[in-house]
Amino acid sequence: MARTTERTAADAAATCRYTFDPARQTDAHLQTTWECPHEAHGDSDYCPFHMSRDERASNDVSPEEIVARIKENLRSGGVRANEYVGADLPHLSLTYQDIDGGSNHVLNFQYADIEGLDITHGHLEQGLNLRGATVGALDFESATIDGTLDAADLSVERHFSAYETTFREDVTLQGASFHGEVDCDETTFGDDTSFAGATFHGVAHFRNAETTGTSHVLDDNISFADVEFRDDASFRQATFKYVTFENAGFRAESDFEHVEFEGDAKFGGVVFDRMADFDEARFHDDACFEDARFKQLAEFRGVEFNGGSRTTDDDVTFEAALFEGEADFKLARFRFADFKDATFQGEFNLDRARFDARADCHRIEVGGTAIFEDVAFLDGVNFDGSRFEGDVRGVEAEFHGDADFVETTFRSRVRFTEARFLEDASFREATFQDDAIFRGSIFEGEAKHLEENACFDETTFEALADFQSSSFPHG
């Protein structure tokens, strides 16, 4: 806390001597030295808000009196009456309060040290500035905040609760540190919101949260970019417009079950240290997991990647993603999908998945079993240059468009029993190092006389090649 020299008797009616010099704090957003506008208390050089806690105690200034003075200042309508930069404050209880100061002047607690702030079931019409502040516990439960919340670089030492809270304007918590549990269940973020660069040390809950936002379609309405989640994080059944988690780190389990992504969803470069659960999530616009890393189980069972209307983009991309554990896309539904250069060190499960548009699987590497049983590719799919170390199980798989496996290597047993290749299928220069079972498969091909309906030119079969009861209607 920046302080000046003691005042003389002639200064008895002077204002508080506290000043905040931004030059002393490299991340301060103030442009000039801030001077306290409040009247000094009694014989002190400082107002009650900038007294030390010991000095307040010796002057019989109670926490209740501090709260009463803040409410009085709100009603005064003074231009600077709501400024408390750098203040050292006790627990401030504003529960069940309808706080309307009659002006738009922000309640300014920049760089303050506050034991706790509680606006539970309250209504705050002003904006709230907690930029760079340290707060013991922060409670907004069931409150409505009409103005902006600017809390960049905030530090919350205990819990942060915004359960069923409505934030009507922008929320900025960029770079914030949350040291306890964060409860944003059923929170409504009515405008653009940023947690970019924040650190969540405890459990973070955003279940049934809802964002609306007003950013342009190419921007994000809520940002968790570069966020560090050090404990479990749950977004189950949340609804997002445009959201980014780019380069975020999930150090414990993450839960995105039944989330509705109504706009673009960006997970590029994200690292999931433990299970990532996206079961039955819905991506209604484009989704990006490019360069994402899944260190354990990645669950995408029953997910729908519906994509947006922009034809130049893939509806979902996992390009160059790394799956170190099982990748489970059972019963998932895709439109345009891009898995090129992805690595699956464990099992890759597409059991009964459906691709309604083309799928690009160039140069993928699968270390475990690849399960393509009953998968349906309704447009073309390309596995050129891919490598399968484990078994490939493609029983009753359906390829409605061209299926390309050019220069693909299969090191273990391959079973495409009763698979259907309805257009051209090419295994040119592919290598089967173990049994290749195509028993009962149908290679219908396309009625183009210049192309081969089923191509195995220069294919290498190092073990059994079984085409018993297979059908080649067009040769």
Side-chain angles (χ1 to χ4, degrees):
M1 184 180 291
R3 301 203 173 202
T4 58
T5 58
E6 293 186 3
R7 60 195 179 100
T8 65
D11 296 322
T15 57
C16 173
R17 289 293 185 90
Y18 176 83
T19 62
F20 184 91
D21 183 359
R24 297 185 181 183
Q25 190 159 339
T26 57
D27 61 347
H29 293 267
L30 297 169
Q31 301 301 313
T32 59
T33 298
W34 181 87
E35 297 179 352
C36 180
H38 303 290
E39 184 177 334
H41 180 80
D43 294 330
S44 174
D45 287 323
Y46 303 101
C47 67
F49 313 110
H50 289 108
M51 286 180 175
S52 68
R53 300 185 185 188
D54 288 343
E55 190 174 4
R56 277 202 299 269
S58 64
N59 282 273
D60 295 322
V61 179
S62 67
E64 291 77 16
E65 184 176 347
I66 295 291
V67 173
R69 288 191 178 221
I70 288 175
K71 292 179 180 178
E72 182 180 340
N73 290 341
L74 279 165
R75 291 190 293 268
S76 74
V79 174
R80 299 189 61 204
N82 296 332
E83 296 185 13
Y84 306 96
V85 175
D88 185 4
L89 300 172
H91 182 84
L92 304 179
S93 178
L94 299 170
T95 60
Y96 294 90
Q97 300 289 313
D98 189 355
I99 304 169
D100 177 11
S103 72
N104 292 324
H105 302 307
V106 171
L107 193 55
N108 188 347
F109 293 106
Q110 287 188 80
Y111 307 103
D113 190 345
I114 309 172
E115 187 175 317
L117 177 59
D118 190 352
I119 312 180
T120 297
H121 291 281
H123 180 198
L124 178 62
E125 293 197 5
Q126 277 88 354
L128 178 61
N129 191 335
L130 291 167
R131 185 181 285 270
T134 299
V135 182
L138 191 52
D139 291 280
F140 293 110
E141 183 175 338
S142 299
T144 299
I145 312 298
D146 287 344
T148 60
L149 172 61
D150 184 353
D153 302 314
L154 169 72
S155 178
V156 182
E157 302 302 297
R158 298 192 296 279
H159 68 267
F160 176 94
S161 177
Y163 175 70
E164 290 189 333
T165 302
T166 298
F167 296 98
R168 299 196 188 280
E169 299 292 337
D170 289 357
V171 173
T172 302
L173 285 157
Q174 187 169 335
S177 293
F178 301 94
H179 295 274
E181 181 178 352
V182 171
D183 183 359
C184 287
D185 285 349
E186 300 188 39
T187 302
T188 298
F189 297 96
D191 216 319
D192 298 329
T193 300
S194 178
F195 287 89
T199 302
F200 294 82
H201 295 268
V203 173
H205 287 151
F206 289 83
R207 296 169 297 196
N208 289 99
E210 182 178 0
T211 66
T212 54
T214 57
S215 287
H216 186 270
V217 66
L218 297 180
D219 292 332
D220 49 86
N221 297 137
I222 185 165
S223 174
F224 293 93
D226 300 301
V227 165
E228 182 94 357
F229 294 97
R230 297 187 177 178
D231 207 326
D232 293 348
S234 178
F235 298 86
R236 182 182 292 242
Q237 294 183 312
T239 300
F240 293 114
K241 294 293 185 181
Y242 300 91
V243 60
T244 178
F245 286 87
E246 289 178 303
N247 300 311
F250 291 86
R251 305 309 171 205
E253 292 188 359
S254 53
D255 182 359
F256 290 89
E257 278 199 25
H258 299 281
V259 172
E260 296 283 337
F261 295 94
E262 296 181 352
D264 288 355
K266 300 178 181 179
F267 288 85
V270 172
V271 177
F272 297 93
D273 282 0
R274 295 177 63 183
M275 183 178 72
D277 185 356
F278 286 85
D279 281 355
E280 298 191 40
R282 300 290 181 267
F283 294 85
H284 298 287
D285 218 307
D286 296 339
C288 176
F289 289 85
E290 186 173 347
D291 292 311
R293 183 180 181 185
F294 301 85
K295 293 187 178 181
Q296 293 190 20
L297 172 63
E299 285 194 333
F300 288 87
R301 296 176 299 187
V303 172
E304 290 185 10
F305 296 100
N306 296 316
S309 60
R310 299 190 295 277
T311 58
T312 57
D313 293 334
D314 294 303
D315 295 323
V316 59
T317 178
F318 287 90
E319 182 178 350
L322 173 59
F323 297 86
E324 298 179 29
E326 179 185 352
D328 190 352
F329 291 88
K330 183 186 300 179
L331 294 169
R333 184 163 181 172
F334 302 82
R335 286 210 315 171
F336 293 101
D338 184 359
F339 284 94
K340 65 175 173 285
D341 296 309
T343 300
F344 302 86
Q345 294 180 353
E347 183 176 278
F348 180 26
N349 192 346
L350 289 174
D351 178 25
R352 287 167 287 169
R354 174 171 167 167
F355 293 79
D356 293 331
R358 64 166 176 79
D360 186 351
C361 299
H362 278 84
R363 301 180 300 274
I364 69 168
E365 294 190 7
V366 183
T369 301
I371 302 174
F372 298 154
E373 293 176 343
D374 291 297
V375 67
F377 294 97
L378 302 187
D379 203 336
V381 59
N382 194 316
F383 286 95
D384 290 356
S386 295
R387 186 178 184 90
F388 294 88
E389 298 287 337
D391 290 353
V392 176
R393 290 159 41 189
V395 176
E396 296 186 350
E398 292 188 1
F399 300 87
H400 292 250
D402 290 351
D404 292 324
F405 291 86
V406 176
E407 295 184 351
T408 298
T409 300
F410 301 93
R411 298 201 62 188
S412 299
R413 196 167 190 251
V414 176
R415 292 181 61 207
F416 280 107
T417 306
E418 298 185 10
R420 295 185 67 190
F421 297 86
L422 303 182
E423 292 199 16
D424 298 337
S426 178
F427 289 85
R428 184 188 300 272
E429 298 183 59
T431 300
F432 294 86
Q433 297 182 359
D434 205 328
D435 294 349
I437 311 298
F438 288 86
R439 187 177 302 170
S441 294
I442 299 176
F443 295 87
E444 292 190 7
E446 193 174 12
K448 293 184 288 190
H449 68 280
L450 296 179
E451 295 187 15
E452 298 162 310
N453 301 133
C455 177
F456 288 89
D457 287 355
E458 301 183 56
T459 301
T460 301
F461 295 94
E462 298 182 4
L464 173 67
D466 185 352
F467 287 86
Q468 183 178 341
S469 301
S470 294
S471 175
F472 300 83
H474 298 292

